[in-house]
Amino acid sequence: MNCETAEEGDQQMEIFYRLFLPPDFMKKEVNESVVFAMLKAAKNLQVSRRGIPPEPDFIADGEGIEVTFAAGREASRDFIRQTCDGRFDPGASKAGEIGRIKSALSRKAEKFYSTRRTSLAILCMLELFDWAAGESREREKFFRWIRREYIDAGIFHTVYLLLPSLNQEWFVYDLRREERRRLLILNYLQAPYYTVVNKGGTGG
């Protein structure tokens, strides 16, 4: 995440964006509810109740769903608090972003869940905008790795990855079923979203 203003001479391919967050999004009960609402809209899941530890965060249609952010070992809310206006280079390495998702997977895989079937939903507030809707060999290779290490291995029933675009959209990937659903966010009060504010060599 880069929160600086672009300087003269920056490459034309950089895209300037802004992140909008719902009020009180830093509160655990708020951001968990937002993520589940997005899952419900994309997958038509019906929540029966919140989980009681050692259950995961939600129980829905007999399935336990644990919710987390794609962040490093630092506190997730500290990571989210650092987001702001930024600039995105589509040609930049995705290694850091992939590492954050791997960290979320590893962290949640270490927990014990009492539900018979548990899935993991990861809200990826990361600069993976070009992964969201288009085609990417790197993305598909990474998804195959997740399926092998966490789904086929029986750690999670499925992994839901929520990836943002720069058009007020989120794309929900169900890695077990290899499905992708698009969500258009009309109001930032419903869910966070990213939007382009300027393109080119100068900041907006």
Side-chain angles (χ1 to χ4, degrees), residues 24 39 110 116 129 144:
D24 297 323
L39 275 182
E110 293 172 358
R116 182 178 61 85
F129 309 121
R144 287 194 298 271

Side-chain angles (χ1 to χ4, degrees), residues 71-76 103 106-107 110:
R73 288 286 180 178
E74 69 272 23
S76 296
S103 179
S106 174
R107 185 174 65 250
E110 293 172 358

Side-chain angles (χ1 to χ4, degrees), residues 27 40 46 58-59 63 74 76 89-90 94 98 102 141 144 156 158 161 170-171 177 187:
K27 295 181 179 178
K40 180 180 178 181
Q46 300 299 318
F58 293 96
I59 307 299
E63 177 181 347
E74 69 272 23
S76 296
D89 179 356
K94 301 291 192 296
I98 289 172
K102 285 185 174 181
K141 179 181 178 181
R144 287 194 298 271
F156 296 113
T158 191
L161 288 184
W170 287 86
F171 288 82
R177 297 176 179 85
N187 189 323

Side-chain angles (χ1 to χ4, degrees), residues 32-101:
E32 286 182 348
S33 295
V34 166
V35 173
F36 191 82
M38 294 167 71
L39 275 182
K40 180 180 178 181
K43 302 296 296 181
N44 197 31
L45 293 173
Q46 300 299 318
V47 64
S48 56
R49 60 181 174 84
R50 278 188 170 271
I52 302 172
E55 293 176 329
D57 295 316
F58 293 96
I59 307 299
D61 297 334
E63 177 181 347
I65 299 179
E66 182 77 356
V67 173
T68 192
F69 292 103
R73 288 286 180 178
E74 69 272 23
S76 296
R77 279 173 289 179
D78 288 344
F79 169 72
I80 298 300
R81 194 173 293 120
Q82 294 170 10
T83 60
C84 59
D85 288 7
R87 57 187 181 186
F88 168 59
D89 179 356
S93 170
K94 301 291 192 296
E97 315 298 75
I98 289 172
R100 290 183 183 276
I101 297 174

